[in-house]
PDB file of all heavy atoms in Angstrom:
ATOM      1  N   LEU A 952      25.799  93.386 100.723  1.00 94.00           N
ATOM      2  CA  LEU A 952      26.130  93.530 102.146  1.00 94.00           C
ATOM      3  C   LEU A 952      24.978  93.057 103.038  1.00 94.00           C
ATOM      4  O   LEU A 952      24.969  93.325 104.227  1.00 94.00           O
ATOM      5  CB  LEU A 952      26.490  94.986 102.460  1.00 94.00           C
ATOM      6  CG  LEU A 952      27.675  95.564 101.685  1.00 94.00           C
ATOM      7  CD1 LEU A 952      27.975  96.986 102.154  1.00 94.00           C
ATOM      8  CD2 LEU A 952      28.904  94.694 101.806  1.00 94.00           C
ATOM      9  N   LYS A 953      24.018  92.319 102.463  1.00 91.00           N
ATOM     10  CA  LYS A 953      22.854  91.852 103.219  1.00 91.00           C
ATOM     11  C   LYS A 953      23.244  91.021 104.435  1.00 91.00           C
ATOM     12  O   LYS A 953      22.603  91.112 105.474  1.00 91.00           O
ATOM     13  CB  LYS A 953      21.935  91.017 102.318  1.00 91.00           C
ATOM     14  CG  LYS A 953      21.206  91.812 101.275  1.00 91.00           C
ATOM     15  CD  LYS A 953      20.372  90.887 100.407  1.00 91.00           C
ATOM     16  CE  LYS A 953      19.743  91.626  99.261  1.00 91.00           C
ATOM     17  NZ  LYS A 953      19.042  90.714  98.344  1.00 91.00           N
ATOM     18  N   ASN A 954      24.248  90.179 104.310  1.00 89.00           N
ATOM     19  CA  ASN A 954      24.659  89.290 105.402  1.00 89.00           C
ATOM     20  C   ASN A 954      26.041  89.647 105.929  1.00 89.00           C
ATOM     21  O   ASN A 954      26.801  88.767 106.337  1.00 89.00           O
ATOM     22  CB  ASN A 954      24.621  87.834 104.933  1.00 89.00           C
ATOM     23  CG  ASN A 954      23.207  87.384 104.667  1.00 89.00           C
ATOM     24  OD1 ASN A 954      22.301  87.657 105.450  1.00 89.00           O
ATOM     25  ND2 ASN A 954      23.001  86.696 103.563  1.00 89.00           N
ATOM     26  N   VAL A 955      26.345  90.935 105.915  1.00 92.00           N
ATOM     27  CA  VAL A 955      27.656  91.406 106.345  1.00 92.00           C
ATOM     28  C   VAL A 955      27.503  92.284 107.588  1.00 92.00           C
ATOM     29  O   VAL A 955      26.627  93.145 107.646  1.00 92.00           O
ATOM     30  CB  VAL A 955      28.342  92.193 105.203  1.00 92.00           C
ATOM     31  CG1 VAL A 955      29.597  92.898 105.673  1.00 92.00           C
ATOM     32  CG2 VAL A 955      28.640  91.257 104.038  1.00 92.00           C
ATOM     33  N   ILE A 956      28.361  92.059 108.581  1.00 93.00           N
ATOM     34  CA  ILE A 956      28.363  92.881 109.788  1.00 93.00           C
ATOM     35  C   ILE A 956      29.104  94.189 109.522  1.00 93.00           C
ATOM     36  O   ILE A 956      28.592  95.271 109.766  1.00 93.00           O
ATOM     37  CB  ILE A 956      29.033  92.123 110.957  1.00 93.00           C
ATOM     38  CG1 ILE A 956      28.263  90.838 111.267  1.00 93.00           C
ATOM     39  CG2 ILE A 956      29.151  93.017 112.189  1.00 93.00           C
ATOM     40  CD1 ILE A 956      28.998  89.882 112.183  1.00 93.00           C
ATOM     41  N   ARG A 957      30.321  94.069 109.034  1.00 96.00           N
ATOM     42  CA  ARG A 957      31.175  95.203 108.674  1.00 96.00           C
ATOM     43  C   ARG A 957      32.080  94.749 107.547  1.00 96.00           C
ATOM     44  O   ARG A 957      32.295  93.561 107.349  1.00 96.00           O
ATOM     45  CB  ARG A 957      32.059  95.645 109.843  1.00 96.00           C
ATOM     46  CG  ARG A 957      31.306  96.120 111.048  1.00 96.00           C
ATOM     47  CD  ARG A 957      31.602  97.563 111.368  1.00 96.00           C
ATOM     48  NE  ARG A 957      31.031  97.956 112.643  1.00 96.00           N
ATOM     49  CZ  ARG A 957      29.820  98.449 112.791  1.00 96.00           C
ATOM     50  NH1 ARG A 957      29.046  98.607 111.769  1.00 96.00           N
ATOM     51  NH2 ARG A 957      29.376  98.806 113.975  1.00 96.00           N
ATOM     52  N   GLY A 958      32.630  95.728 106.854  1.00 95.00           N
ATOM     53  CA  GLY A 958      33.527  95.381 105.764  1.00 95.00           C
ATOM     54  C   GLY A 958      34.558  96.463 105.535  1.00 95.00           C
ATOM     55  O   GLY A 958      34.531  97.531 106.161  1.00 95.00           O
ATOM     56  N   ALA A 959      35.472  96.158 104.643  1.00 97.00           N
ATOM     57  CA  ALA A 959      36.493  97.117 104.243  1.00 97.00           C
ATOM     58  C   ALA A 959      36.683  97.005 102.743  1.00 97.00           C
ATOM     59  O   ALA A 959      36.542  95.929 102.165  1.00 97.00           O
ATOM     60  CB  ALA A 959      37.800  96.849 104.965  1.00 97.00           C
ATOM     61  N   VAL A 960      37.007  98.143 102.143  1.00 98.00           N
ATOM     62  CA  VAL A 960      37.420  98.179 100.747  1.00 98.00           C
ATOM     63  C   VAL A 960      38.882  98.601 100.779  1.00 98.00           C
ATOM     64  O   VAL A 960      39.205  99.663 101.313  1.00 98.00           O
ATOM     65  CB  VAL A 960      36.586  99.190  99.926  1.00 98.00           C
ATOM     66  CG1 VAL A 960      37.041  99.206  98.475  1.00 98.00           C
ATOM     67  CG2 VAL A 960      35.099  98.890 100.032  1.00 98.00           C
ATOM     68  N   VAL A 961      39.760  97.762 100.241  1.00 98.00           N
ATOM     69  CA  VAL A 961      41.192  98.039 100.240  1.00 98.00           C
ATOM     70  C   VAL A 961      41.619  98.266  98.786  1.00 98.00           C
ATOM     71  O   VAL A 961      41.483  97.366  97.951  1.00 98.00           O
ATOM     72  CB  VAL A 961      41.993  96.869 100.854  1.00 98.00           C
ATOM     73  CG1 VAL A 961      43.483  97.185 100.850  1.00 98.00           C
ATOM     74  CG2 VAL A 961      41.500  96.567 102.260  1.00 98.00           C
ATOM     75  N   VAL A 962      42.126  99.461  98.505  1.00 98.00           N
ATOM     76  CA  VAL A 962      42.541  99.831  97.148  1.00 98.00           C
ATOM     77  C   VAL A 962      44.041 100.068  97.146  1.00 98.00           C
ATOM     78  O   VAL A 962      44.556 100.799  98.001  1.00 98.00           O
ATOM     79  CB  VAL A 962      41.802 101.104  96.672  1.00 98.00           C
ATOM     80  CG1 VAL A 962      42.262 101.516  95.276  1.00 98.00           C
ATOM     81  CG2 VAL A 962      40.294 100.898  96.711  1.00 98.00           C
ATOM     82  N   ASN A 963      44.731  99.449  96.199  1.00 98.00           N
ATOM     83  CA  ASN A 963      46.171  99.642  96.029  1.00 98.00           C
ATOM     84  C   ASN A 963      46.427 100.323  94.697  1.00 98.00           C
ATOM     85  O   ASN A 963      45.859  99.923  93.675  1.00 98.00           O
ATOM     86  CB  ASN A 963      46.898  98.295  96.085  1.00 98.00           C
ATOM     87  CG  ASN A 963      46.892  97.728  97.477  1.00 98.00           C
ATOM     88  OD1 ASN A 963      47.507  98.278  98.377  1.00 98.00           O
ATOM     89  ND2 ASN A 963      46.167  96.633  97.676  1.00 98.00           N
ATOM     90  N   LEU A 964      47.256 101.346  94.726  1.00 98.00           N
ATOM     91  CA  LEU A 964      47.593 102.104  93.521  1.00 98.00           C
ATOM     92  C   LEU A 964      49.095 102.104  93.303  1.00 98.00           C
ATOM     93  O   LEU A 964      49.856 102.315  94.252  1.00 98.00           O
ATOM     94  CB  LEU A 964      47.119 103.555  93.658  1.00 98.00           C
ATOM     95  CG  LEU A 964      45.609 103.749  93.828  1.00 98.00           C
ATOM     96  CD1 LEU A 964      45.315 105.058  94.521  1.00 98.00           C
ATOM     97  CD2 LEU A 964      44.933 103.706  92.487  1.00 98.00           C
ATOM     98  N   THR A 965      49.508 101.876  92.078  1.00 97.00           N
ATOM     99  CA  THR A 965      50.894 102.033  91.673  1.00 97.00           C
ATOM    100  C   THR A 965      50.911 103.202  90.701  1.00 97.00           C
ATOM    101  O   THR A 965      50.365 103.098  89.604  1.00 97.00           O
ATOM    102  CB  THR A 965      51.424 100.760  90.979  1.00 97.00           C
ATOM    103  OG1 THR A 965      51.381  99.697  91.920  1.00 97.00           O
ATOM    104  CG2 THR A 965      52.851 100.955  90.480  1.00 97.00           C
ATOM    105  N   GLN A 966      51.480 104.311  91.129  1.00 97.00           N
ATOM    106  CA  GLN A 966      51.477 105.498  90.291  1.00 97.00           C
ATOM    107  C   GLN A 966      52.903 105.809  89.833  1.00 97.00           C
ATOM    108  O   GLN A 966      53.676 106.447  90.538  1.00 97.00           O
ATOM    109  CB  GLN A 966      50.857 106.668  91.037  1.00 97.00           C
ATOM    110  CG  GLN A 966      49.379 106.389  91.316  1.00 97.00           C
ATOM    111  CD  GLN A 966      48.626 107.628  91.680  1.00 97.00           C
ATOM    112  OE1 GLN A 966      48.889 108.223  92.706  1.00 97.00           O
ATOM    113  NE2 GLN A 966      47.675 107.994  90.836  1.00 97.00           N
ATOM    114  N   ALA A 967      53.228 105.324  88.623  1.00 96.00           N
ATOM    115  CA  ALA A 967      54.529 105.607  88.028  1.00 96.00           C
ATOM    116  C   ALA A 967      54.627 107.073  87.626  1.00 96.00           C
ATOM    117  O   ALA A 967      55.709 107.645  87.594  1.00 96.00           O
ATOM    118  CB  ALA A 967      54.756 104.711  86.820  1.00 96.00           C
ATOM    119  N   VAL A 968      53.461 107.651  87.342  1.00 96.00           N
ATOM    120  CA  VAL A 968      53.359 109.081  87.024  1.00 96.00           C
ATOM    121  C   VAL A 968      52.401 109.687  88.036  1.00 96.00           C
ATOM    122  O   VAL A 968      51.309 109.161  88.257  1.00 96.00           O
ATOM    123  CB  VAL A 968      52.833 109.297  85.586  1.00 96.00           C
ATOM    124  CG1 VAL A 968      52.678 110.769  85.282  1.00 96.00           C
ATOM    125  CG2 VAL A 968      53.747 108.622  84.574  1.00 96.00           C
ATOM    126  N   GLY A 969      52.789 110.786  88.669  1.00 96.00           N
ATOM    127  CA  GLY A 969      51.930 111.423  89.669  1.00 96.00           C
ATOM    128  C   GLY A 969      50.574 111.794  89.100  1.00 96.00           C
ATOM    129  O   GLY A 969      50.464 112.291  87.979  1.00 96.00           O
ATOM    130  N   HIS A 970      49.527 111.514  89.861  1.00 97.00           N
ATOM    131  CA  HIS A 970      48.155 111.888  89.475  1.00 97.00           C
ATOM    132  C   HIS A 970      47.273 111.882  90.720  1.00 97.00           C
ATOM    133  O   HIS A 970      47.372 110.977  91.551  1.00 97.00           O
ATOM    134  CB  HIS A 970      47.584 110.914  88.445  1.00 97.00           C
ATOM    135  CG  HIS A 970      46.218 111.309  87.978  1.00 97.00           C
ATOM    136  ND1 HIS A 970      45.070 110.782  88.525  1.00 97.00           N
ATOM    137  CD2 HIS A 970      45.826 112.203  87.053  1.00 97.00           C
ATOM    138  CE1 HIS A 970      44.016 111.334  87.936  1.00 97.00           C
ATOM    139  NE2 HIS A 970      44.461 112.198  87.032  1.00 97.00           N
ATOM    140  N   ALA A 971      46.426 112.857  90.858  1.00 97.00           N
ATOM    141  CA  ALA A 971      45.480 112.943  91.975  1.00 97.00           C
ATOM    142  C   ALA A 971      44.259 112.071  91.647  1.00 97.00           C
ATOM    143  O   ALA A 971      43.180 112.558  91.339  1.00 97.00           O
ATOM    144  CB  ALA A 971      45.076 114.389  92.223  1.00 97.00           C
ATOM    145  N   THR A 972      44.441 110.763  91.715  1.00 98.00           N
ATOM    146  CA  THR A 972      43.394 109.802  91.358  1.00 98.00           C
ATOM    147  C   THR A 972      42.348 109.739  92.468  1.00 98.00           C
ATOM    148  O   THR A 972      42.685 109.640  93.641  1.00 98.00           O
ATOM    149  CB  THR A 972      44.010 108.406  91.137  1.00 98.00           C
ATOM    150  OG1 THR A 972      45.022 108.509  90.133  1.00 98.00           O
ATOM    151  CG2 THR A 972      42.961 107.404  90.703  1.00 98.00           C
ATOM    152  N   GLN A 973      41.075 109.765  92.059  1.00 98.00           N
ATOM    153  CA  GLN A 973      39.981 109.688  93.026  1.00 98.00           C
ATOM    154  C   GLN A 973      39.458 108.255  93.108  1.00 98.00           C
ATOM    155  O   GLN A 973      39.247 107.592  92.092  1.00 98.00           O
ATOM    156  CB  GLN A 973      38.841 110.627  92.644  1.00 98.00           C
ATOM    157  CG  GLN A 973      37.726 110.637  93.683  1.00 98.00           C
ATOM    158  CD  GLN A 973      36.570 111.551  93.315  1.00 98.00           C
ATOM    159  OE1 GLN A 973      36.255 111.727  92.153  1.00 98.00           O
ATOM    160  NE2 GLN A 973      35.931 112.118  94.316  1.00 98.00           N
ATOM    161  N   VAL A 974      39.247 107.801  94.340  1.00 98.00           N
ATOM    162  CA  VAL A 974      38.635 106.508  94.620  1.00 98.00           C
ATOM    163  C   VAL A 974      37.316 106.804  95.314  1.00 98.00           C
ATOM    164  O   VAL A 974      37.278 107.590  96.262  1.00 98.00           O
ATOM    165  CB  VAL A 974      39.543 105.661  95.542  1.00 98.00           C
ATOM    166  CG1 VAL A 974      38.901 104.314  95.824  1.00 98.00           C
ATOM    167  CG2 VAL A 974      40.938 105.506  94.949  1.00 98.00           C
ATOM    168  N   TYR A 975      36.208 106.219  94.842  1.00 97.00           N
ATOM    169  CA  TYR A 975      34.922 106.542  95.436  1.00 97.00           C
ATOM    170  C   TYR A 975      34.014 105.328  95.492  1.00 97.00           C
ATOM    171  O   TYR A 975      34.231 104.344  94.805  1.00 97.00           O
ATOM    172  CB  TYR A 975      34.255 107.713  94.710  1.00 97.00           C
ATOM    173  CG  TYR A 975      34.296 107.672  93.199  1.00 97.00           C
ATOM    174  CD1 TYR A 975      33.176 107.340  92.465  1.00 97.00           C
ATOM    175  CD2 TYR A 975      35.462 107.980  92.503  1.00 97.00           C
ATOM    176  CE1 TYR A 975      33.206 107.311  91.089  1.00 97.00           C
ATOM    177  CE2 TYR A 975      35.509 107.947  91.123  1.00 97.00           C
ATOM    178  CZ  TYR A 975      34.371 107.607  90.422  1.00 97.00           C
ATOM    179  OH  TYR A 975      34.407 107.565  89.050  1.00 97.00           O
ATOM    180  N   LEU A 976      33.000 105.416  96.356  1.00 98.00           N
ATOM    181  CA  LEU A 976      32.094 104.311  96.627  1.00 98.00           C
ATOM    182  C   LEU A 976      30.715 104.568  96.029  1.00 98.00           C
ATOM    183  O   LEU A 976      30.208 105.693  96.077  1.00 98.00           O
ATOM    184  CB  LEU A 976      31.957 104.110  98.135  1.00 98.00           C
ATOM    185  CG  LEU A 976      33.266 103.834  98.882  1.00 98.00           C
ATOM    186  CD1 LEU A 976      33.017 103.808 100.384  1.00 98.00           C
ATOM    187  CD2 LEU A 976      33.898 102.539  98.409  1.00 98.00           C
ATOM    188  N   TYR A 977      30.135 103.506  95.488  1.00 98.00           N
ATOM    189  CA  TYR A 977      28.779 103.548  94.932  1.00 98.00           C
ATOM    190  C   TYR A 977      27.939 102.493  95.634  1.00 98.00           C
ATOM    191  O   TYR A 977      28.463 101.505  96.169  1.00 98.00           O
ATOM    192  CB  TYR A 977      28.813 103.237  93.434  1.00 98.00           C
ATOM    193  CG  TYR A 977      28.796 104.468  92.559  1.00 98.00           C
ATOM    194  CD1 TYR A 977      29.814 105.404  92.610  1.00 98.00           C
ATOM    195  CD2 TYR A 977      27.762 104.694  91.667  1.00 98.00           C
ATOM    196  CE1 TYR A 977      29.810 106.526  91.810  1.00 98.00           C
ATOM    197  CE2 TYR A 977      27.737 105.817  90.854  1.00 98.00           C
ATOM    198  CZ  TYR A 977      28.766 106.726  90.930  1.00 98.00           C
ATOM    199  OH  TYR A 977      28.730 107.836  90.128  1.00 98.00           O
ATOM    200  N   GLN A 978      26.628 102.673  95.586  1.00 98.00           N
ATOM    201  CA  GLN A 978      25.685 101.706  96.128  1.00 98.00           C
ATOM    202  C   GLN A 978      24.662 101.366  95.049  1.00 98.00           C
ATOM    203  O   GLN A 978      24.459 102.154  94.120  1.00 98.00           O
ATOM    204  CB  GLN A 978      24.994 102.275  97.365  1.00 98.00           C
ATOM    205  CG  GLN A 978      24.238 103.564  97.111  1.00 98.00           C
ATOM    206  CD  GLN A 978      23.722 104.188  98.385  1.00 98.00           C
ATOM    207  OE1 GLN A 978      23.427 103.513  99.351  1.00 98.00           O
ATOM    208  NE2 GLN A 978      23.596 105.514  98.386  1.00 98.00           N
ATOM    209  N   ALA A 979      24.059 100.192  95.162  1.00 97.00           N
ATOM    210  CA  ALA A 979      23.054  99.755  94.191  1.00 97.00           C
ATOM    211  C   ALA A 979      22.050  98.851  94.886  1.00 97.00           C
ATOM    212  O   ALA A 979      22.252  98.427  96.023  1.00 97.00           O
ATOM    213  CB  ALA A 979      23.718  99.019  93.030  1.00 97.00           C
ATOM    214  N   LYS A 980      20.969  98.549  94.169  1.00 97.00           N
ATOM    215  CA  LYS A 980      19.917  97.712  94.738  1.00 97.00           C
ATOM    216  C   LYS A 980      20.167  96.226  94.552  1.00 97.00           C
ATOM    217  O   LYS A 980      19.505  95.406  95.173  1.00 97.00           O
ATOM    218  CB  LYS A 980      18.565  98.112  94.156  1.00 97.00           C
ATOM    219  CG  LYS A 980      18.151  99.506  94.601  1.00 97.00           C
ATOM    220  CD  LYS A 980      16.763  99.874  94.127  1.00 97.00           C
ATOM    221  CE  LYS A 980      16.374 101.244  94.703  1.00 97.00           C
ATOM    222  NZ  LYS A 980      15.039 101.652  94.257  1.00 97.00           N
ATOM    223  N   ASP A 981      21.104  95.868  93.679  1.00 95.00           N
ATOM    224  CA  ASP A 981      21.479  94.470  93.492  1.00 95.00           C
ATOM    225  C   ASP A 981      22.893  94.403  92.928  1.00 95.00           C
ATOM    226  O   ASP A 981      23.478  95.434  92.592  1.00 95.00           O
ATOM    227  CB  ASP A 981      20.471  93.730  92.597  1.00 95.00           C
ATOM    228  CG  ASP A 981      20.296  94.362  91.225  1.00 95.00           C
ATOM    229  OD1 ASP A 981      21.297  94.852  90.643  1.00 95.00           O
ATOM    230  OD2 ASP A 981      19.169  94.360  90.714  1.00 95.00           O
ATOM    231  N   VAL A 982      23.425  93.179  92.814  1.00 95.00           N
ATOM    232  CA  VAL A 982      24.811  93.023  92.363  1.00 95.00           C
ATOM    233  C   VAL A 982      24.976  93.277  90.869  1.00 95.00           C
ATOM    234  O   VAL A 982      26.093  93.294  90.368  1.00 95.00           O
ATOM    235  CB  VAL A 982      25.398  91.645  92.747  1.00 95.00           C
ATOM    236  CG1 VAL A 982      25.507  91.522  94.261  1.00 95.00           C
ATOM    237  CG2 VAL A 982      24.604  90.511  92.134  1.00 95.00           C
ATOM    238  N   SER A 983      23.869  93.510  90.166  1.00 95.00           N
ATOM    239  CA  SER A 983      23.944  93.906  88.755  1.00 95.00           C
ATOM    240  C   SER A 983      24.121  95.411  88.610  1.00 95.00           C
ATOM    241  O   SER A 983      24.311  95.909  87.511  1.00 95.00           O
ATOM    242  CB  SER A 983      22.678  93.469  88.010  1.00 95.00           C
ATOM    243  OG  SER A 983      22.559  92.070  88.041  1.00 95.00           O
ATOM    244  N   GLY A 984      24.007  96.146  89.724  1.00 95.00           N
ATOM    245  CA  GLY A 984      24.189  97.595  89.695  1.00 95.00           C
ATOM    246  C   GLY A 984      22.916  98.381  89.449  1.00 95.00           C
ATOM    247  O   GLY A 984      22.972  99.558  89.089  1.00 95.00           O
ATOM    248  N   THR A 985      21.759  97.778  89.680  1.00 96.00           N
ATOM    249  CA  THR A 985      20.483  98.460  89.467  1.00 96.00           C
ATOM    250  C   THR A 985      20.397  99.743  90.287  1.00 96.00           C
ATOM    251  O   THR A 985      20.652  99.739  91.491  1.00 96.00           O
ATOM    252  CB  THR A 985      19.305  97.527  89.828  1.00 96.00           C
ATOM    253  OG1 THR A 985      19.379  96.360  88.996  1.00 96.00           O
ATOM    254  CG2 THR A 985      17.966  98.215  89.638  1.00 96.00           C
ATOM    255  N   ASP A 986      20.049 100.837  89.623  1.00 97.00           N
ATOM    256  CA  ASP A 986      19.875 102.161  90.243  1.00 97.00           C
ATOM    257  C   ASP A 986      21.133 102.658  90.963  1.00 97.00           C
ATOM    258  O   ASP A 986      21.049 103.385  91.961  1.00 97.00           O
ATOM    259  CB  ASP A 986      18.688 102.177  91.218  1.00 97.00           C
ATOM    260  CG  ASP A 986      17.360 101.926  90.531  1.00 97.00           C
ATOM    261  OD1 ASP A 986      17.235 102.275  89.334  1.00 97.00           O
ATOM    262  OD2 ASP A 986      16.443 101.397  91.178  1.00 97.00           O
ATOM    263  N   ALA A 987      22.297 102.285  90.452  1.00 97.00           N
ATOM    264  CA  ALA A 987      23.561 102.674  91.094  1.00 97.00           C
ATOM    265  C   ALA A 987      23.657 104.183  91.265  1.00 97.00           C
ATOM    266  O   ALA A 987      23.267 104.952  90.390  1.00 97.00           O
ATOM    267  CB  ALA A 987      24.740 102.174  90.265  1.00 97.00           C
ATOM    268  N   LYS A 988      24.162 104.570  92.434  1.00 97.00           N
ATOM    269  CA  LYS A 988      24.372 105.986  92.737  1.00 97.00           C
ATOM    270  C   LYS A 988      25.487 106.093  93.770  1.00 97.00           C
ATOM    271  O   LYS A 988      25.784 105.127  94.476  1.00 97.00           O
ATOM    272  CB  LYS A 988      23.091 106.629  93.249  1.00 97.00           C
ATOM    273  CG  LYS A 988      22.621 106.113  94.598  1.00 97.00           C
ATOM    274  CD  LYS A 988      21.361 106.836  95.060  1.00 97.00           C
ATOM    275  CE  LYS A 988      20.953 106.405  96.469  1.00 97.00           C
ATOM    276  NZ  LYS A 988      19.802 107.155  96.966  1.00 97.00           N
ATOM    277  N   PRO A 989      26.110 107.260  93.871  1.00 97.00           N
ATOM    278  CA  PRO A 989      27.175 107.420  94.859  1.00 97.00           C
ATOM    279  C   PRO A 989      26.663 107.190  96.280  1.00 97.00           C
ATOM    280  O   PRO A 989      25.514 107.515  96.598  1.00 97.00           O
ATOM    281  CB  PRO A 989      27.618 108.870  94.687  1.00 97.00           C
ATOM    282  CG  PRO A 989      27.188 109.247  93.304  1.00 97.00           C
ATOM    283  CD  PRO A 989      25.922 108.469  93.062  1.00 97.00           C
ATOM    284  N   LEU A 990      27.506 106.626  97.112  1.00 97.00           N
ATOM    285  CA  LEU A 990      27.197 106.510  98.533  1.00 97.00           C
ATOM    286  C   LEU A 990      27.085 107.923  99.088  1.00 97.00           C
ATOM    287  O   LEU A 990      27.889 108.790  98.742  1.00 97.00           O
ATOM    288  CB  LEU A 990      28.320 105.740  99.243  1.00 97.00           C
ATOM    289  CG  LEU A 990      28.074 105.331 100.685  1.00 97.00           C
ATOM    290  CD1 LEU A 990      26.945 104.321 100.772  1.00 97.00           C
ATOM    291  CD2 LEU A 990      29.333 104.726 101.277  1.00 97.00           C
ATOM    292  N   THR A 991      26.079 108.186  99.902  1.00 95.00           N
ATOM    293  CA  THR A 991      25.874 109.546 100.416  1.00 95.00           C
ATOM    294  C   THR A 991      26.272 109.697 101.880  1.00 95.00           C
ATOM    295  O   THR A 991      26.604 110.791 102.308  1.00 95.00           O
ATOM    296  CB  THR A 991      24.405 109.983 100.240  1.00 95.00           C
ATOM    297  OG1 THR A 991      23.555 109.008 100.831  1.00 95.00           O
ATOM    298  CG2 THR A 991      24.058 110.127  98.762  1.00 95.00           C
ATOM    299  N   ASN A 992      26.228 108.623 102.637  1.00 97.00           N
ATOM    300  CA  ASN A 992      26.618 108.678 104.050  1.00 97.00           C
ATOM    301  C   ASN A 992      28.112 108.402 104.175  1.00 97.00           C
ATOM    302  O   ASN A 992      28.608 107.408 103.655  1.00 97.00           O
ATOM    303  CB  ASN A 992      25.819 107.651 104.864  1.00 97.00           C
ATOM    304  CG  ASN A 992      24.345 107.965 104.866  1.00 97.00           C
ATOM    305  OD1 ASN A 992      23.944 109.097 105.081  1.00 97.00           O
ATOM    306  ND2 ASN A 992      23.523 106.964 104.613  1.00 97.00           N
ATOM    307  N   THR A 993      28.812 109.256 104.877  1.00 97.00           N
ATOM    308  CA  THR A 993      30.263 109.135 104.976  1.00 97.00           C
ATOM    309  C   THR A 993      30.692 107.931 105.800  1.00 97.00           C
ATOM    310  O   THR A 993      29.960 107.479 106.689  1.00 97.00           O
ATOM    311  CB  THR A 993      30.885 110.409 105.574  1.00 97.00           C
ATOM    312  OG1 THR A 993      30.382 110.599 106.895  1.00 97.00           O
ATOM    313  CG2 THR A 993      30.580 111.622 104.717  1.00 97.00           C
ATOM    314  N   VAL A 994      31.874 107.431 105.476  1.00 98.00           N
ATOM    315  CA  VAL A 994      32.463 106.281 106.165  1.00 98.00           C
ATOM    316  C   VAL A 994      33.910 106.623 106.540  1.00 98.00           C
ATOM    317  O   VAL A 994      34.514 107.519 105.946  1.00 98.00           O
ATOM    318  CB  VAL A 994      32.418 105.015 105.282  1.00 98.00           C
ATOM    319  CG1 VAL A 994      30.975 104.627 104.961  1.00 98.00           C
ATOM    320  CG2 VAL A 994      33.234 105.195 104.009  1.00 98.00           C
TER     321      VAL A 994
END
């Protein structure tokens, strides 16, 4: 997101069987996922 003003994550789910599926955001220091951890600031 170095050269990004704003963005969106759009997730589509097809649930043939009901399930309370969780979708969550992570952050990292590079695109390889170095030091990945959950995003802490709400969006």
Side-chain angles (χ1 to χ4, degrees):
L952 301 183
K953 289 178 186 174
N954 293 316
V955 170
I956 299 167
R957 298 242 189 270
V960 180
V961 180
V962 178
N963 289 293
L964 299 156
T965 297
Q966 295 197 295
V968 178
H970 183 264
T972 303
Q973 184 181 32
V974 180
Y975 44 105
L976 302 174
Y977 262 62
Q978 59 187 330
K980 293 185 176 179
D981 57 37
V982 294
S983 298
T985 300
D986 296 331
K988 67 178 185 176
L990 189 65
T991 54
N992 296 313
T993 62
V994 298

